[in-house]
Amino acid sequence: MERLHAHKQYSIFLGIILSVYNLADKLYGAVYIVLMSRRGIDPLQISVVFAVSSLSLAVFDYPSGNLSDLYGRKKLAAIGFFTWGAGLFLFALADHLLLFIVSAVIMSLGVALISGSPQAWYIDKLDDLGMMEYKNVVLPRLNGFVSAFAIVGALLATLTGNIHLYLPVAIAGVAAIGLSIYVWFRFSDNYGTRTEDNIFKEVYVTSVDFARN
């Protein structure tokens, strides 16, 4: 009975994380281009913000798996949500190109730290319970539930955006920071298998293995 309770609690925890993440993402995604345009950012400058965001995400995302293995999946996800939320707040308040670029870099760092960590945490927790097969039941259901929250996020963005364009992004920031606090204090963390004594060697070995494969 205890095992049944645990795996349901872990599933609800993951569902909350993914749902709020998608809600915040849709709030931001529905208005960010219009918000930049209204703040005087022209199409070429918006392309620059996109390019910097994509490049910084690629750079930050590369070692994120090693970092989560070393410092803890749940801990890295919590820090990632807080960082992403701070970037969203800065984006909501930005009024010139440099601030939009800085906020895009901060958001990319947050998203990179979040990337895959909640799911890896969840699968390891199921493994500890000896219930790995349960992920095949719950993950497809969670995908449908999370998609519903994405729709809610888009509708909420429409409603709040009609009041002021920065509101959806600011609400997304509040949701992300609130989620970071929830993730930090809920349940215990888990870690990945390490083969090296520091993070730089770990990333190097992973890179070599990746290149060979």
Side-chain angles (χ1 to χ4, degrees):
M1 183 62 70
E2 183 63 29
R3 281 190 172 188
L4 181 65
H5 177 73
H7 81 260
K8 285 188 174 181
Q9 290 296 315
Y10 295 152
S11 300
I12 291 169
F13 180 64
L14 179 65
I16 291 171
I17 292 173
L18 298 180
S19 296
V20 176
Y21 179 66
N22 274 270
L23 176 74
D25 184 56
K26 290 299 179 290
L27 279 166
Y28 164 75
V31 300
Y32 72 104
I33 293 179
V34 180
L35 180 59
M36 282 192 286
S37 296
R38 292 284 181 88
R39 297 276 171 84
I41 308 300
D42 63 43
L44 178 59
Q45 292 173 325
I46 291 174
S47 298
V48 171
V49 175
F50 284 163
V52 171
S53 176
S54 299
L55 179 60
S56 56
L57 180 59
V59 172
F60 294 140
D61 193 49
Y62 189 71
S64 63
N66 297 103
L67 289 171
S68 67
D69 288 345
L70 177 60
Y71 297 109
R73 279 74 178 267
K74 192 172 69 74
K75 190 183 288 90
L76 258 290
I79 294 170
F81 282 119
F82 189 89
T83 305
W84 185 46
L88 287 165
F89 267 120
L90 182 58
F91 192 95
L93 299 173
D95 58 0
H96 57 80
L97 179 61
L98 181 59
L99 276 179
F100 280 114
I101 290 174
V102 171
S103 65
V105 172
I106 294 172
M107 285 190 288
S108 294
L109 175 59
V111 170
L113 293 175
I114 297 164
S115 179
S117 292
Q119 293 90 333
W121 176 89
Y122 175 71
I123 290 170
D124 267 15
K125 284 295 186 182
L126 290 184
D127 193 27
D128 291 342
L129 295 172
M131 300 186 66
M132 281 290 285
E133 71 283 352
Y134 187 68
K135 73 178 188 300
N136 299 324
V137 175
V138 74
L139 290 181
R141 295 178 181 176
L142 280 181
N143 287 336
F145 190 72
V146 167
S147 298
F149 267 81
I151 295 170
V152 171
L155 292 174
L156 185 58
T158 301
L159 294 174
T160 56
N162 286 331
I163 299 171
H164 201 294
L165 273 175
Y166 76 83
L167 269 181
V169 184
I171 293 170
V174 171
I177 291 175
L179 186 59
S180 75
I181 296 169
Y182 173 72
V183 171
W184 184 274
F185 289 105
R186 189 80 167 126
F187 297 119
S188 60
D189 214 336
N190 54 41
Y191 304 82
T193 303
R194 294 185 60 196
T195 59
E196 303 299 327
D197 56 4
N198 67 64
I199 186 62
F200 299 106
K201 288 183 180 179
E202 195 81 36
V203 172
Y204 173 75
V205 169
T206 302
S207 301
V208 171
D209 288 342
F210 176 79
R212 286 174 179 169
N213 290 332

